[in-house]
Amino acid sequence: MNGVPLLQVRNVTQCHGPVCVLQVGQLDVFAGEIVCLVGPTGSGKTTLLRLLSGLEPRASGLVRYAAPLGSQSVPPRITMVFQHPLLLSGSVRYNVEYGLRLRGLARKGQEVDPLLDRLNLIHLASRSISRLSGGQRQLVALARALVLEPEVLLLDEPTANLDPASVGLVEGVITEDNQRRGMTVVWATHHLFQARRVAHRAGLLLNGQLIEMAPTGCFFDRPCDPRTAAFVRGEMVY
C-alpha cells in the first residue's frame, strides 16, 4: 500500500517474567484498512492488541500512531473491545452511554439508540447487564466502543460467543463503519473464514512472532511461508 502508515510497530518485544511472549520486528497498518491477526491460542494476538492500545508498556521497541504513544502529540481516537469485556452494573443503555459521559459528549446520546438498533440490542436497552448472556454482553461492549466513533478499533475475538447470525451482524456493522467513516480496524480472530470475509490484509502470529502479513487473497491462496500454508489448511503449527 502507498502512503505513510497510520500505525507503525518496530522491534517491539514483550516479556512476562523471564518469558518473551512477543517479538514483532515490523508491522504497518494503513488508515482505513481492516487487518486481521490470526494464529493459535497463545500466539500473542491479545498481547499485541494490548500494546497497540497502550494498556500495557512494552519491554522494548516503538509503537507509533503518527506520534508515539505517551508523547505530547495526540494519537488517533483508539478503542478496544475485549473477548471477555468488563461492563458496569446498570442497563444496556447506561453502559453504552458511559464513554460519552466520560468525554463530555452527552449531547451525542441521541446516537445510542440507532446504534443499539443496528446491533439488535434496542429491545434490551433497559435490561440490566446482569441479565444478559455472554454473547449479548459482547454486543454491548462493541456498541460502547463504536458509539465513540473511534478512528482505530482494536478487536480481540469480538464474536467468540455469538451465534452465526450475530457474527454476520457484527461483521456487517464493522465493515460498514470501515467503509463509511474510514475507521481503521485491527481484528484478532481464531476464525479463518471470518478473516477471509472482512480483512483487507491478514497476518499470522506464531509463538509471538509475525510470520507473514499479506493481502487477504494472497495470504489464503498463495502464502509465502510454509507455516502460513499449513495454518490456513487447518494443520497444527508450532
Side-chain angles (χ1 to χ4, degrees):
M1 302 184 70
N2 297 321
V4 177
L6 173 67
L7 162 63
Q8 294 176 306
V9 174
R10 296 291 184 270
N11 301 315
V12 163
T13 63
Q14 180 65 318
C15 301
H16 293 163
V19 179
C20 188
V21 297
L22 193 70
Q23 293 178 296
V24 176
Q26 179 174 340
L27 169 64
D28 292 329
V29 178
F30 293 85
E33 70 171 341
I34 299 176
V35 170
C36 278
L37 302 172
V38 300
T41 300
S43 60
K45 299 187 298 295
T46 297
T47 299
L48 179 55
L49 289 179
R50 290 181 63 85
L51 294 182
L52 298 184
S53 70
L55 287 175
E56 63 179 79
R58 55 202 175 273
S60 63
L62 173 71
V63 175
R64 178 185 292 273
Y65 285 95
L69 287 177
S71 74
Q72 295 302 311
S73 299
V74 179
R77 294 189 306 276
I78 305 165
T79 60
M80 181 168 171
V81 179
F82 300 90
Q83 182 176 354
H84 304 290
L86 293 176
L87 300 175
L88 303 170
S89 60
S91 69
V92 168
R93 181 179 283 110
Y94 177 83
N95 271 268
V96 176
E97 290 177 342
Y98 183 71
L100 294 175
R101 292 195 300 273
L102 282 182
R103 291 161 175 78
L105 299 174
R107 67 186 184 280
K108 299 186 69 175
Q110 67 270 17
E111 299 176 6
V112 171
D113 280 3
L115 180 58
L116 292 178
D117 191 42
R118 290 175 68 199
L119 288 168
N120 197 27
L121 290 170
I122 190 66
H123 64 293
L124 301 174
S126 300
R127 182 172 295 185
S128 170
I129 290 296
S130 63
R131 296 176 55 205
L132 298 185
S133 68
Q136 290 168 335
R137 292 169 70 90
Q138 279 191 304
L139 292 174
V140 172
L142 178 61
R144 183 174 61 183
L146 289 177
V147 77
L148 299 174
E149 297 190 338
E151 296 172 75
V152 179
L153 180 65
L154 306 175
L155 299 172
D156 189 8
E157 300 285 352
T159 62
N161 297 315
L162 301 184
D163 60 83
S166 296
V167 169
L169 176 66
V170 167
E171 291 175 2
V173 167
I174 292 171
T175 55
E176 181 182 336
D177 276 20
N178 165 258
Q179 294 168 5
R180 179 173 58 87
R181 298 196 294 105
M183 179 178 68
T184 304
V185 183
V186 183
W187 186 331
T189 179
H190 284 111
H191 301 291
L192 292 177
F193 289 116
Q194 180 171 78
R196 191 160 198 163
R197 287 192 298 267
V198 303
H200 299 115
R201 291 190 297 146
L204 173 65
L205 274 171
L206 189 61
N207 296 322
Q209 297 186 355
L210 185 61
I211 302 300
E212 181 171 352
M213 175 70 72
T216 303
C218 295
F219 182 88
F220 286 99
D221 298 330
R222 299 177 299 280
C224 295
D225 193 285
R227 291 166 293 183
T228 306
F231 186 78
V232 300
R233 289 195 301 265
E235 301 174 9
M236 294 293 293
V237 291
Y238 302 96

